[in-house]
Amino acid sequence: MLILAAICLTALAPGVATVWLLRRHGWLRAVVAGVGATLSLPFLLLVSLIVFPPLGFLLGAGAAALAVHYYDDGRLWVATAWAALCFVAVTCSGWSL
């Protein structure tokens, strides 16, 4: 569970940094830019998986291993989330299941 918190904090870091750097231009503009920077990260990941397929295969293999581990532990929701990430990563890299 600690790794999920670390991933969430890492995903929020560019948005927080954007707000901090643009705060002198007005808080509304800074917050809108920070939200845009935070929301663009998943799309950047998907585009990088499409452009560089070995990254998708590597991410898919790692997600599949974690999904199997969490299925063995009986944590079905977490395992299903990792399995969904495996499916998306492998699909974006061009390999049809």
Side-chain angles (χ1 to χ4, degrees):
M1 196 56 125
L2 187 61
I3 193 165
L4 291 177
I7 290 171
C8 289
L9 287 176
T10 303
L12 292 175
V16 171
T18 302
V19 170
W20 183 256
L21 292 173
L22 295 177
R23 70 186 186 281
R24 64 175 171 243
H25 297 290
W27 281 105
L28 180 63
R29 186 177 292 171
V31 169
V32 169
V35 168
T38 302
L39 293 180
S40 68
L41 286 176
F43 299 113
L44 178 66
L45 176 65
L46 290 177
V47 167
S48 65
L49 292 177
I50 292 170
V51 171
F52 190 62
L55 179 65
F57 295 136
L58 185 66
L59 184 64
L66 283 171
V68 169
H69 171 72
Y70 283 118
Y71 277 127
D72 285 342
D73 285 347
R75 300 178 64 188
L76 297 179
W77 289 108
V78 176
T80 304
W82 282 111
L85 176 66
C86 173
F87 176 75
V88 169
V90 171
T91 303
C92 283
S93 61
W95 186 41
S96 61
L97 294 175

